[in-house]
Amino acid sequence: MEQTDRMDCREGRDIRAGKKRFSKNAALENASWESGVRKVTPYTPGEQPRRAGIIKLNTNECPYPPSPQVKRLAAEFETDILRLYPDPEASLLVKSIAEHFGVGEDQVFVGVGSDDVLAMAFLTFFNTDKPILFPDITYSFYDVWAQLFGIPYSRPALDEDFRLVKEDYLVPNGGIVIANPNAPTGICEPMTVIEEIIAKNPGSIVIIDEAYVDFGGMSAIPLVEKYDNLLVVQTFSKSRAMAGMRIGFAVGSPKAIRYLRDVKFSFNSYTMDAPTIAWGAASMADDAYFRETVEKVAGTREYLKKELSSLGFSFPDSRTNFVFASHEKVPAEEIFLALKEAGIYVRYFPGERTGNHLRITVGTKEQTDALLAFLRNYLK
Ligand code: PMP
């Protein structure tokens, strides 16, 4: 009896194990590897047309070349710069940025474009169940990173003039991201508003994305000495005319920068290549050229605003190298397509609140005149 029981038991176990094995196999056969894929809707970058002879005013690049110091270094290019691994700390570049802003080298983090810096910052600092906050109309990569990293987020609406509603950022949150000046609106919020949001959120990292600040905005970098929850992100892609090199950086408290570096070095040590490090440092050191370039762009922007107004366009007051304009009569999409047909590329963002605007990058005076000449004729 005892024997039989044991047998039954054993058999039972065997049968159950066999069944389990069978159902496991069935589950294996029915499973699709796709159910385990991290699915995301990727960011759609602006078009990079290869057509010759076009006027490219669609991705906010600088119409002027980078500092002549970059060209000089490029001419002295030695192949060892490619043969050897680059400095993982990008020390030369970090030092030039720290010197420029009068902060410690331990307060600077560099990355492959500010997209890389922002993505690292999302991954590092936004790690709670509380939603992070950024406006409904802003740089559309923020949603993508939040989705990619599984970060809950909420997008308080800008008001009807596309201004930030400060109170929306004085609620419990897992972090805050504000582009200042904002994109695609071009609006710069006063530093008093930015500081209040940082000061009243000591429990969250506040990222201020200053991709366009050099064209007339005000930087929050001086506030990093006062608030260790502030991270200011800038780029070489716009005012330093080096979008093709991919350099971005963050300035923050030594503690915040340490956390960012820990995540970055857990991911890939050698993200920034050696020519980029050397040429970026040369660009940062050439302040006179930098100032001359941004002044030229800002001057053309003011001219563009004046002429667009006289053609029946209205727009928020841009402090950037682009204007977010809508026409009193003609739908934005129609103008966008007509411009494209004529080889003039601007950016159009379909959507309920943005769909009647064109984001026009400030080009050279000649490019701007060509754009205006087309519009004058088209809108007649
Ligand atoms: N932030 C904002 C607001 C931007 O518009 C852009 C440019 N698309 C970036 C960041 C990223 O720029 P980059 O990666 O070239 O530094």
Side-chain angles (χ1 to χ4, degrees), residues 43 59-60 112-116 118 138-139 142 145 179 181-183 209-212 234-238 243 246-248 322 359:
Y43 171 71
T59 48
N60 299 342
V112 184
S114 56
D115 280 343
D116 181 43
L118 288 162
T138 189
Y139 186 31
Y142 302 156
W145 289 312
N182 197 9
D209 177 354
E210 295 186 347
Y212 300 101
Q234 293 193 7
T235 178
F236 280 47
S237 297
K238 320 291 177 184
R246 315 302 300 127
I247 307 175
F322 56 84
R359 194 197 64 187

Side-chain angles (χ1 to χ4, degrees), residues 84-131:
L84 302 172
Y85 277 109
D87 169 14
E89 312 273 343
S91 310
L92 197 65
L93 181 59
V94 166
K95 189 163 180 288
S96 72
I97 296 168
E99 268 170 15
H100 181 82
F101 290 103
V103 297
E105 287 173 41
D106 58 353
Q107 291 181 272
V108 176
F109 174 86
V110 294
V112 184
S114 56
D115 280 343
D116 181 43
V117 176
L118 288 162
M120 283 292 153
F122 271 56
L123 189 58
T124 307
F125 298 114
F126 300 155
N127 191 26
T128 74
D129 294 334
K130 282 183 273 179

Side-chain angles (χ1 to χ4, degrees), residues 208-228:
I208 306 296
D209 177 354
E210 295 186 347
Y212 300 101
V213 75
D214 296 327
F215 299 104
M218 197 172 200
S219 177
I221 287 182
L223 296 179
V224 297
E225 301 303 335
K226 204 163 155 194
Y227 302 101
D228 70 355

